[in-house]
Amino acid sequence: LTPKPAVFPPPAAEWSECHQRNNKTMVFFTLLSSLFKQAYDVTPPGLVTCLACAYIGSGRYFAAYRHEFIGTLLMIGFTFSPGKWIGQDALMVAWIAHMCGVVASDKIGGGPHVNPAVTVSMYALGKCSYTEGLVRIMGAMAGGLVAFPLYSVFADKLGLTQLGGPEFSSKDDEDGVNAGFSEFVAVTLLMIMIYVLNWELNFGKYHYWIKQTLTAVGIRYLIETFPLAGPAINPMLGTTWYIFSKGAFPDEIGHYFTYWVCPFVAAMFASCLYAVYAGGDVFGQKLPFGPIKGDAAVSSSKKNK
């Protein structure tokens, strides 16, 4: 049998059906493009990457990610609103509100780090793995990237004062040396406070409430004492606020030096100080000296004998 030759161009009916299919396809992609553009316009730079890290390790650390994300949302809302929404004209009221905010965000959020510098210290001291630390940092960053736009909309709807954020002026400090030193000292003191209140002291039945209240007071004191970088005393806050306020990633080297390099170096320095005092490894390595705490206990025991 001789096959029938192909008809070209195709009959009008087939051409019409093909044209309709193409039109439906183009409508779908036009709609998809429109949705993507709308999502792109309202999505902070870096948020998608932070969200994608939630399931690193096959979701093993998703609970930690969730704690960091929710804890950061709460921390920014509870601790940035004093002085703006609460206690505008009463410093003591603002201090008390900030203290309550620190305690509440930690309790409700499930005890997150909400601070990449704290996470680096916990990793250095062997309290979390590298993967868990990365997931926690990404969770905190995602929380910060969502929090500032969210509370901005909240403030607009209710006619409240817009929240502020940590910034430092690059005038006369383009490389962030002075501001970076301020953050270094503040983060070092913050970490020492965390070690002492959480690991060295025991307040008995009300340990959690007492140590969190003292932590809140200490953080407020550091904010008032080291103002050159805003202050942030937290890399996440410095960068997520910049992204919200400018709509782009920071492009100044001073920003990264001040808000990331100096706090991370401070966290590692404080970790070494604590290891010298209490013992333990730093990044899996024994330090050549210490622990002072163990030596003091042995010396006391010999005296008692």
Side-chain angles (χ1 to χ4, degrees), residues 217-253:
V217 172
I219 290 173
R220 190 69 196 187
Y221 174 78
L222 293 174
I223 289 173
E224 299 292 338
T225 307
F226 300 96
L228 287 185
I233 321 177
N234 185 330
M236 174 273 297
L237 291 176
T239 297
T240 56
W241 169 255
Y242 186 100
I243 291 173
F244 167 69
S245 62
K246 307 295 184 183
F249 287 109
D251 58 1
E252 296 178 337
I253 188 173

Side-chain angles (χ1 to χ4, degrees), residues 42-44 142-156 162 240-241 243-244:
V42 299
T43 302
L145 290 170
V146 170
F148 285 116
L150 179 66
Y151 292 126
S152 178
V153 172
F154 186 75
D156 280 340
Q162 288 289 340
T240 56
W241 169 255
I243 291 173
F244 167 69

Side-chain angles (χ1 to χ4, degrees), residues 81-97:
S81 54
K84 295 288 187 179
W85 301 347
I86 305 170
Q88 296 93 324
D89 302 315
L91 182 61
M92 185 56 65
V93 173
W95 272 59
I96 294 173

Side-chain angles (χ1 to χ4, degrees), residues 4 36 43 52 74 76 127 184 186 203 207 256 265 272 284 303:
K4 294 181 179 180
F36 175 78
T43 302
L74 295 172
I76 292 176
K127 304 297 183 181
F184 174 86
F203 299 105
H207 174 74
Y256 295 102
V265 172
C272 291
K303 287 181 180 180

Side-chain angles (χ1 to χ4, degrees), residues 3-244:
K4 294 181 179 180
V7 179
F8 188 85
E14 292 184 17
W15 177 261
S16 177
E17 183 180 349
C18 180
H19 184 64
Q20 289 177 6
R21 285 199 301 267
N22 286 339
N23 282 342
K24 289 179 180 179
T25 301
M26 293 309 297
V27 168
F28 171 76
F29 278 98
T30 300
L31 177 61
L32 184 62
S33 174
S34 177
L35 292 174
F36 175 78
K37 184 179 184 302
Q38 293 180 32
Y40 181 85
D41 289 340
V42 299
T43 302
L47 179 59
V48 173
T49 302
C50 293
L51 293 175
C53 292
Y55 283 93
I56 287 178
S58 301
R60 183 184 308 171
Y61 304 108
F62 180 73
Y65 184 97
R66 185 179 67 248
H67 289 161
E68 297 296 331
F69 182 85
I70 296 174
T72 299
L73 278 174
L74 295 172
M75 182 268 288
I76 292 176
F78 287 157
T79 64
F80 278 59
S81 54
K84 295 288 187 179
W85 301 347
I86 305 170
Q88 296 93 324
D89 302 315
L91 182 61
M92 185 56 65
V93 173
W95 272 59
I96 294 173
H98 181 272
M99 179 185 70
C100 293
V102 171
V103 176
S105 60
D106 182 82
K107 186 66 175 178
I108 299 172
H113 298 167
V114 297
N115 187 331
V118 173
T119 302
V120 166
S121 179
M122 294 302 107
Y123 169 62
L125 293 172
K127 304 297 183 181
C128 70
S129 68
Y130 181 89
T131 305
E132 181 184 346
L134 174 62
V135 171
R136 284 186 177 276
I137 290 173
M138 291 297 102
M141 289 295 294
L145 290 170
V146 170
F148 285 116
L150 179 66
Y151 292 126
S152 178
V153 172
F154 186 75
D156 280 340
K157 295 295 183 182
L158 298 182
L160 299 172
T161 303
Q162 288 289 340
L163 300 182
E167 295 180 358
F168 80 96
S169 175
S170 58
K171 184 179 179 181
D172 300 325
D173 190 21
E174 185 175 348
D175 295 332
V177 175
N178 295 328
F181 179 72
S182 177
E183 287 290 284
F184 174 86
V185 176
V187 171
T188 299
L189 294 175
L190 171 67
M191 295 312 310
I192 291 173
M193 178 176 65
I194 289 172
Y195 304 148
V196 172
L197 293 177
N198 287 272
W199 300 338
E200 297 302 318
L201 298 180
N202 189 333
F203 299 105
K205 182 179 179 180
Y206 299 104
H207 174 74
Y208 175 81
W209 299 105
I210 294 174
K211 64 101 173 175
Q212 280 303 119
T213 301
L214 292 175
T215 299
V217 172
I219 290 173
R220 190 69 196 187
Y221 174 78
L222 293 174
I223 289 173
E224 299 292 338
T225 307
F226 300 96
L228 287 185
I233 321 177
N234 185 330
M236 174 273 297
L237 291 176
T239 297
T240 56
W241 169 255
Y242 186 100
I243 291 173
F244 167 69

